[in-house]
Amino acid sequence: MEFCDECGSMMHSDDGLWVCGSCGFEKPRDVENEADMTTTEDQDTDSGPVDMSEVDDAEIGPTTTVRCPECGNDRARYEMKQIRAADESETRFFTCTECDHKWREDDH
């Protein structure tokens, strides 16, 4: 696996080149270097929960288009959490990208 030097996205192989699907950056493949790469084949990928307690909120999560009830901004980061019984759907929590106001999907 190779990551783009320009934008950090995962690259794919195409005719002896590594090509970034996000920004189009290309670089030649290095067969000797690739022999030393670690793969995820036969690895346990379920290592349990990830501790995000010391990560700044600005670095967490994808964003979506949703109107902030506090300032009217139209972008917010979101995260899904299971706060009820396992047979009920997750709750989506939002954080405004402008004012950092926090709310959940079912708040009105």
Side-chain angles (χ1 to χ4, degrees):
M1 184 180 310
E2 188 71 23
F3 293 95
C4 180
D5 295 340
E6 297 295 315
C7 71
S9 296
M10 189 167 47
M11 301 177 83
H12 65 275
S13 175
D14 187 16
D15 290 332
L17 293 173
W18 285 109
V19 180
C20 178
S22 296
C23 72
F25 177 76
E26 297 180 353
K27 67 181 178 181
R29 291 182 63 179
D30 181 353
V31 178
E32 289 179 22
N33 186 34
E34 290 174 25
D36 294 331
M37 288 183 177
T38 302
T39 67
T40 58
E41 291 178 18
D42 302 322
Q43 290 184 0
D44 178 16
T45 57
D46 185 17
S47 60
V50 176
D51 180 12
M52 300 291 286
S53 61
E54 294 185 19
V55 177
D56 182 17
D57 280 346
E59 299 173 17
I60 297 176
T63 61
T64 188
T65 302
V66 63
R67 186 150 313 276
C68 173
E70 197 71 21
C71 73
N73 180 43
D74 66 351
R75 298 295 298 167
R77 290 182 304 282
Y78 69 92
E79 59 183 319
M80 305 291 284
K81 289 187 180 180
Q82 187 72 40
I83 60 171
R84 297 183 181 99
D87 63 342
E88 295 186 35
S89 63
E90 294 178 310
T91 302
R92 189 161 48 160
F93 290 87
F94 299 101
T95 303
C96 178
T97 58
E98 282 294 314
C99 71
D100 287 329
H101 176 71
K102 297 177 187 312
W103 74 100
R104 62 187 212 187
E105 192 164 36
D106 59 357
D107 286 349
H108 297 294

